[in-house]
Amino acid sequence: MSEIARIVSCIDGYDPDALHVEKARAAIRACLAPVAASERVPLRTALGRVLAEDIVPAIDVPGHDNSAMDGYAVRSADLKADGETVLDEIGTALAGRAYEGNVGAGQCVRVMTGAVLPAGADTVVIQEVVRVEGKRIAIPPGQKPTQNVRYAGEDLKAGVAVLGSGARIGPAELGVIASLGIAKLSVRRRLRVAFFSTGDELTPVGAPLGQGQIHDSNRYTLHGMLSRLGVELLDFGIVRDDPAALEHALRSASLSADAIVTSGGVSVGEADFVRRLMGELGEVLFWKIAMRPGRPMAFGKIGNAFLFGLPGNPVAVMVTFYQFVREALLVLSGRTDDVTPASFRVQSAAAMRKIPGRTEYQRGVLYRENGEWKVRTTGQQGSGVLRSMAEANCFIVLEHERGAIAAGDPVGVQPFDGLV
Ligand code: AMP
Ligand code: MG
């Protein structure tokens, strides 16, 4: 038995003719090996990339104890518990300009947010509560020792790893790394993903449509979805339903890419020559997944490239991409966090038909009614109705075992947009 067949055969409940979506996910996961190569890049260039080293601070952030507020740095031992304390203001500390002296008994220093806490002081009293009489500062009772002080190393501690290899670098991570003064860092090399559409009926965008032809829209949705993942794109165009053309495309894609994503040609009626060809070039499994839309899907390896053979129907392409390919490509890119799509449950605005035994991904609109999030479908749900994806802002996930849904029932949703 070859490698992929051996790995997936170990998955409990693996049935290529009625494959539960979770089993398909597990089967793909079990076969993936992330890219290992890395490169050093300037900090800004690392946005969206996957870290290939642990970030261990060489310095504390902040580097000094400092004031969290505008006010007066005082010695807590001076403060009376039951009455006003009057202190002498002996100087000022600004952010970036420390007060060099020491705060002695009965003294205080005017401080601004971010100013280094002067020696001797341990507490900051906010300016709004004090009474100023020239250089005499009257402080009311009720101050808590150490209040309004930010401690050195409170954000990042020297020697304590803050980000691990495998983390995705987003805006916050860029800032954290910048706060450590690190200008260059190691990231995994970008995943190279080849993609093409198959079909004799396809006409490129920009060319006039012949009789019975349609424009190749899948390559545009694939371009969009892949671009968002930050992978390097290799567009192999439209490939005719012809064994020689398909063989040529698959061979050259497998030589230049880590993964190949195709659309069309994997449905039962069409799959015969594709199946034979892919079997000759590498090892590819043809699955009938218990889902709607997107039942047929091929997964395997040609040379060193992982192959994802998606169905041709435009909505099925997007659904199978987001349910299987997206997370596979993120894992291949080296991500070690949980990359499954975020989902939560909200009330369904209306009843929905559903039969147990397959997972359905309806296109939904999350909206708010009286402050409560609810979801409705976009209407017509055919797998050729790509408009349903354009009108949606989430998938409504109707799980495998579920039957009909009544209005008001909770349903799972996967929002299309993440915040960060
Ligand atoms: P297939 O999976 O190749 O049988 O295709 C299923 C359906 O999707 C057919 O109606 C195709 O015409 C359509 N289709 C296939 N590829 C594309 C594409 N690249 N863009 C738009 N529609 C497509
Ligand atoms: Mg086709």
Side-chain angles (χ1 to χ4, degrees), residues 38 40 50-58 159-169 176-177 180 182 184-188 334 336:
S38 62
R40 278 181 77 72
V50 179
L51 202 52
E53 60 177 326
D54 293 340
I55 300 290
V56 183
V160 180
V162 53
L163 297 169
S165 177
R168 176 184 178 272
I169 301 175
V176 164
I177 297 167
L180 293 169
I182 297 170
K184 280 192 138 190
L185 63 162
S186 276
V187 294
R188 295 282 174 101
T336 51

Side-chain angles (χ1 to χ4, degrees), residues 197-198 201-202 214-218 263-265 267 270 311-314:
S197 299
T198 69
E201 74 280 33
L202 302 179
I214 57 170
H215 284 301
D216 170 18
S217 60
N218 287 346
S263 82
S267 56
E270 280 196 301
N313 277 309

Side-chain angles (χ1 to χ4, degrees), residues 85-108:
T85 308
V86 180
L87 301 172
D88 292 326
E89 183 189 322
I90 57 165
T92 303
L94 306 174
R97 205 176 318 151
Y99 176 75
E100 301 295 346
N102 193 68
V103 182
Q107 298 179 328
C108 67

Side-chain angles (χ1 to χ4, degrees), residues 153-286:
E154 174 177 292
D155 186 358
L156 307 173
K157 255 203 160 30
V160 180
V162 53
L163 297 169
S165 177
R168 176 184 178 272
I169 301 175
E173 289 77 8
L174 274 190
V176 164
I177 297 167
S179 73
L180 293 169
I182 297 170
K184 280 192 138 190
L185 63 162
S186 276
V187 294
R188 295 282 174 101
R189 84 160 163 74
R190 288 210 293 172
L191 199 70
R192 286 191 280 270
V193 182
F195 63 110
F196 58 82
S197 299
T198 69
D200 284 339
E201 74 280 33
L202 302 179
T203 298
V205 171
L209 284 178
Q211 183 63 34
Q213 297 270 303
I214 57 170
H215 284 301
D216 170 18
S217 60
N218 287 346
R219 216 151 35 93
Y220 287 80
T221 46
L222 281 172
H223 170 90
M225 295 187 293
L226 289 166
S227 298
R228 287 287 182 92
L229 295 185
V231 300
E232 213 175 293
L233 305 187
L234 304 168
D235 185 346
F236 277 66
I238 296 171
V239 177
R240 298 292 156 210
D241 290 320
D242 160 58
L246 190 60
E247 175 172 351
H248 177 73
L250 286 170
R251 268 193 203 284
S252 41
S254 73
L255 292 175
S256 48
D258 304 299
I260 306 168
V261 183
T262 67
S263 82
V266 294
S267 56
V268 178
E270 280 196 301
D272 288 352
F273 87 87
V274 179
R275 195 183 293 246
R276 200 171 350 99
L277 181 63
M278 287 182 174
E280 283 163 22
L281 294 177
E283 199 202 345
V284 180
L285 307 173
F286 283 77

